[in-house]
Amino acid sequence: MDLDLDEAARQFRGEAREWLAAHVPRSPLPSFDTAEGFAAHREWEAALADAHWSVVSWPREYGGRDASLLEWVLFEEEYYAAGAPGRVNQNGIFMLAPTLFSHGTPEQLARILPKMARAEEVWAQAWSEPEAGSDIAALRSTATPADGGWLLNGQKTWSSRAAFADRAFGLFRSDPESARHHGLTYLMADLRAPGVTVRPIPQLDGEPGFAEIFFDDVFVPDADVIGTPGNGWRVAMTTANNERGLSLRSPGRFLAAADRLVSLWSSAGRPESTAARVADAWIGARAYQLYTFGTVTRLASGAELGPESSVNKLFWSHLDVALHETALDLLGPSAELRGPWTDGWLFSLAGPIYGGTDQIQRTIVAERLLGLPKGDR
Amino acid sequence: MKFALSPEQEAFAASLDSLLSTQDCDAATRAWASGDHGPGLKIWRRLADQGVAALTTPAHRGGLAEEDGTGATTVDAVLAFEVLGRFCPPGPWTDSAVLPCLLDDEILASTAAGETLVSLAFPPHVPFALDADIADARFLVDGARLRGFAPGTPLASLDPSRHLFEPVPGDELGPALDPARAFDLGALLTAAQLLGAGRGLLEMSVAHAGQRRQYGREIGRFQAVKHLLAEVATALELARPLLHGAAVTADPADVSAAKVACGDAAHLAARTALQVHGAIGYTAEHPLGLRLTRVRALTTAWGTPAVHRHRVLAAIAP
């Protein structure tokens, strides 16, 4: 058991640190949930991609640099420590791409991934529906077979990035007779196709981070089905584990935030009233980093992410809220003024909701990790 | 980087686990609490035969601890203490394990063999000496110096199996070898016992929730119960990497982080275990209480949570 980085990993980290120090924009980009910010983030993503830093763990042929999972974690630490911009295409990179790598055809990989790596195509996730939030199996949007493809009908909602994105991915009910997890198909759709209407929904910060998507006989070719029709639930589980697990909330994000919190506390004169909570935020970020190193080691030796994804998500979503609430309490009356800490706090509040609520995750942990009997929801 | 236990380490922990599962640790703890040390000392010797008392003693003093890159590491010691925490046998295990950080003397060989029991006082953070009445050797860390001590007034612990005494300072024995490392190791091994106790309490609670029936079904089917236990599992899962990470880095901030997180997780496990068991868990006949009181006692032993949080802050915000 060791935490030593080999020479190659240290060199990789040094290279990333050097590039980021030279290229991260001096002043923060506007929010990618505005038209102006979205365009600025596309430019940043293209610059990242030019230097092969946008998708480090992907194969080179799709724009990556074949980095190991450990190197990816190290890159993320450097990325957040450098204060680099949020990833406008994170739904694509961290949710859709792992699904494509597991279930996509070579044609899909070649067509979709290089454009995703450069943010030439930005992806929105289209999971939730008005009647289906965490309960994805209750989906009602339909996919009906048509000549050479499918016709989509229905409504998706609370779709992150959909206000400005190019394409979306999600589950549609392809067998109306089927119940719950069966008869669902995983599809990708063009948000500019005829029959698609996107209605932006402002989030708590006032920016259109969400949108509703209405599908009215929208044609999608067979080439945009991932996996086999009717098997979408199984395909989607890959994505869900990735979202809850490692990829969407890398420990680098929390380590960097905890470091900023410690600096804030120091410069505020180290008040005793928040000392314990500041210490706990750092302890939590360190715990999450080491837990991730353990996960990376297990995955490298062939294990797969299972219910520990839910443990992971419960932990980081709480850590994120606690860390930001501590910062706001520390700021005193100025905490109500808009700034990076209030933005971070608003963002953290979504953690215990998206990707399956805390309640869903706790039930998964209890039943699948602890082996408690299945019961009423 | 390989941040995972080796198959040998897993096997070592499993062998200690199966050894202790055949001993009646709960009965030994109750006997120890009432002043009968016999069954507890029998377990002490069984564990010493497996090398548990020798894990931190260097080879040239008859121990197993790593020298020149071979031998037992701090991770191995932590694993053994996790198992001790899970079964909660009585005795001054931490005191004996820490001794090699304080002196390099022949006494280490008999300590490593399990023949000598050590009681240690380390004011201000370890002000009361555990089992000083039956210890064969007693040491008091007095700043940078090491002294002997005599057991003074006996003090009642909330954990009846922990017999505590005021140390009455005795002769000076010389400089203490590395008191800072001794404190860190003591805190780390206490954290390991807390984590083990927390895991034991969680397993006990899951088993109980799976068989206890109310309103016509197992209580483990109720979401309210499931969610409590899921929170415990999450706290323990994330405390363990801190414990193992601290064993690898020996960094004081990591040690303190582990002590805080393992203490918090064990406390949550204990409170939840009592809630899930209900009234039966509140009885002295049930083994839950042995662990609940041990957890509370260890939470403040070898540095309170406040002391360790301040050590974290001192390290990261100098």
Side-chain angles (χ1 to χ4, degrees):
Chain A
M1 176 170 244
D2 69 71
L3 287 163
D4 305 327
L5 298 180
D6 63 21
E7 184 49 40
R10 277 202 303 273
Q11 202 178 323
F12 175 91
R13 185 174 62 179
E15 215 181 303
R17 185 175 296 174
E18 208 172 298
W19 189 88
L20 288 163
H23 293 86
V24 168
R26 294 274 172 266
S27 50
L29 302 183
S31 161
F32 53 50
D33 290 327
T34 63
E36 179 203 6
F38 201 87
H41 277 79
R42 269 203 215 260
E43 276 181 42
W44 163 248
E45 291 289 330
L48 267 180
D50 283 341
H52 283 252
W53 290 116
S54 71
V55 286
V56 295
S57 60
W58 291 10
R60 286 191 175 272
E61 58 182 308
Y62 305 127
R65 50 171 75 209
D66 282 316
S68 68
L69 208 47
L70 173 61
E71 287 170 330
W72 174 76
V73 172
L74 297 176
F75 172 75
E76 291 282 299
E77 285 184 1
E78 293 302 322
Y79 191 86
Y80 287 108
R87 304 297 301 273
V88 67
N89 216 3
Q90 62 188 6
N91 293 310
I93 294 170
F94 298 131
M95 292 171 69
L96 177 58
T99 308
L100 284 171
F101 282 121
S102 297
H103 303 278
T105 64
E107 183 278 327
Q108 287 173 330
L109 297 176
R111 171 163 56 93
I112 294 163
L113 294 179
K115 286 183 189 162
M116 187 190 289
R118 305 191 53 78
E120 277 171 26
E121 270 179 2
V122 177
W123 289 82
Q125 55 91 357
W127 288 132
S128 298
E129 296 185 7
E131 302 302 323
S134 287
D135 183 12
I136 295 176
L139 297 175
R140 290 178 183 176
S141 292
T142 57
T144 316
D147 193 19
W150 302 79
L151 286 177
L152 306 187
N153 279 285
Q155 178 189 359
K156 297 286 181 178
T157 192
W158 313 311
S159 293
S160 299
R161 297 304 86 72
F164 306 105
D166 308 293
R167 305 197 74 198
F169 55 93
L171 289 178
F172 293 80
R173 193 162 292 284
S174 49
D175 177 359
E177 302 298 311
S178 69
R180 303 285 303 161
H181 303 81
H182 305 287
L184 296 169
T185 297
Y186 199 128
L187 286 151
M188 300 177 282
D190 188 342
L191 289 175
R192 310 242 156 73
V196 175
T197 308
V198 175
R199 189 184 74 84
I201 305 174
Q203 293 181 336
L204 291 182
D205 64 0
E207 310 296 357
F210 280 159
E212 286 177 299
I213 310 171
F214 299 90
F215 296 92
D216 182 11
D217 275 343
V218 176
F219 178 78
V220 169
D222 283 325
D224 279 348
V225 173
I226 307 179
T228 49
N231 200 28
W233 175 258
R234 194 170 283 275
V235 176
M237 282 301 98
T238 324
T239 311
N241 276 345
N242 269 293
E243 185 186 19
R244 293 165 190 167
L246 271 184
S247 53
L248 195 53
R249 291 294 163 257
S250 77
R253 173 188 295 266
F254 304 110
L255 284 171
D259 283 344
R260 283 197 298 277
L261 178 64
V262 170
S263 302
L264 181 69
W265 180 75
S266 285
S267 58
R270 307 164 71 96
E272 187 54 35
S273 57
T274 40
R277 290 162 66 202
V278 172
D280 284 343
W282 185 87
I283 291 170
R286 176 70 170 152
Y288 189 39
Q289 179 191 38
L290 291 167
Y291 181 77
T292 302
F293 285 150
T295 305
V296 164
T297 306
R298 282 200 309 282
L299 293 178
S301 59
E304 279 180 24
L305 275 180
E308 71 263 38
S309 296
S310 295
V311 170
N312 203 47
K313 186 177 182 262
L314 280 169
F315 187 81
W316 65 245
S317 63
H318 280 242
L319 170 62
D320 206 19
V321 173
L323 192 157
H324 282 90
E325 287 187 340
T326 303
L328 296 193
D329 287 353
L330 193 48
L331 285 167
S334 14
E336 76 166 284
L337 304 178
R338 282 293 293 270
W341 284 114
T342 51
D343 287 354
W345 177 73
L346 286 171
F347 183 74
S348 76
L349 295 183
I353 300 169
Y354 72 79
T357 61
D358 274 8
Q359 286 65 38
I360 296 291
Q361 310 298 348
R362 288 194 193 108
T363 299
I364 292 173
V365 171
E367 292 178 1
R368 295 205 224 141
L369 195 74
L370 299 179
L372 285 166
K374 284 195 180 256
D376 303 335
R377 287 284 175 264
Chain B
M1 192 199 69
K2 279 207 171 76
F3 192 59
L5 298 174
S6 67
E8 293 75 19
Q9 287 170 324
E10 302 267 16
F12 171 62
S15 75
L16 291 182
D17 205 274
S18 65
L19 169 68
L20 280 183
S21 66
T22 64
Q23 310 292 306
D24 195 343
C25 288
D26 293 348
T29 300
R30 292 185 208 283
W32 193 282
S34 68
D36 172 10
H37 296 107
L41 291 175
K42 210 178 114 204
I43 293 173
W44 184 285
R45 281 189 290 270
R46 294 293 299 269
L47 285 167
D49 288 344
Q50 300 301 308
V52 174
L55 291 169
T56 56
T57 309
H60 75 271
R61 289 296 181 190
L64 299 169
E66 185 171 55
E67 279 187 308
D68 309 323
T70 58
T73 64
T74 310
V75 175
D76 300 307
V78 157
L79 289 177
F81 274 69
E82 274 183 61
V83 179
L84 288 179
R86 179 162 179 246
F87 290 92
C88 279
W93 284 100
T94 308
D95 309 46
S96 297
V98 161
L99 193 63
C101 300
L102 293 170
L103 83 176
D104 185 14
D105 182 277
E106 281 160 19
I107 191 178
L108 296 181
S110 60
T111 309
E115 291 153 10
T116 295
L117 259 65
V118 172
S119 177
L120 195 65
F122 205 147
H125 302 312
V126 190
F128 316 124
L130 179 64
D131 295 316
D133 54 339
I134 58 150
D136 306 293
R138 293 181 284 269
F139 298 96
L140 168 69
V141 184
D142 181 6
R145 317 294 295 174
L146 200 59
R147 292 180 181 278
F149 75 84
T153 316
L155 302 162
S157 164
L158 93 162
D159 174 354
S161 67
R162 282 170 58 86
H163 299 143
L164 302 176
F165 296 86
E166 295 255 26
V168 179
D171 293 341
E172 188 175 315
L173 305 170
L177 210 57
D178 189 350
R181 176 66 195 140
F183 181 70
D184 280 352
L185 185 61
L188 187 70
L189 296 179
T190 305
Q193 292 172 79
L194 282 163
L195 185 79
R199 290 161 71 97
L201 283 157
L202 176 61
E203 284 162 22
M204 203 181 250
S205 306
V206 167
H208 182 76
Q211 55 89 20
R212 167 75 170 160
R213 295 175 72 88
Q214 293 279 267
Y215 305 103
R217 60 179 97 174
E218 305 96 314
I219 61 169
R221 288 195 194 278
F222 296 118
Q223 210 174 50
V225 172
K226 277 185 186 157
H227 286 193
L228 284 178
L229 294 171
E231 287 293 285
V232 174
T234 303
L236 292 167
E237 285 286 315
L238 270 295
R240 200 171 194 226
L242 280 173
L243 179 70
H244 293 180
V248 169
T249 66
D251 183 293
D254 282 340
V255 169
S256 285
K259 178 70 165 52
V260 169
C262 291
D264 281 355
H267 175 71
L268 185 67
R271 288 292 320 278
T272 304
L274 184 54
Q275 198 63 31
V276 168
H277 280 78
I280 196 168
Y282 201 76
T283 63
E285 285 93 353
H286 198 278
L288 192 159
L290 302 176
R291 284 153 184 80
L292 186 143
T293 52
R294 181 68 59 85
V295 162
R296 186 57 240 188
L298 294 181
T299 297
T300 46
W302 290 89
T304 64
V307 162
H308 284 292
R309 284 190 170 97
H310 277 283
R311 261 171 42 114
V312 167
L313 287 172
I316 60 177

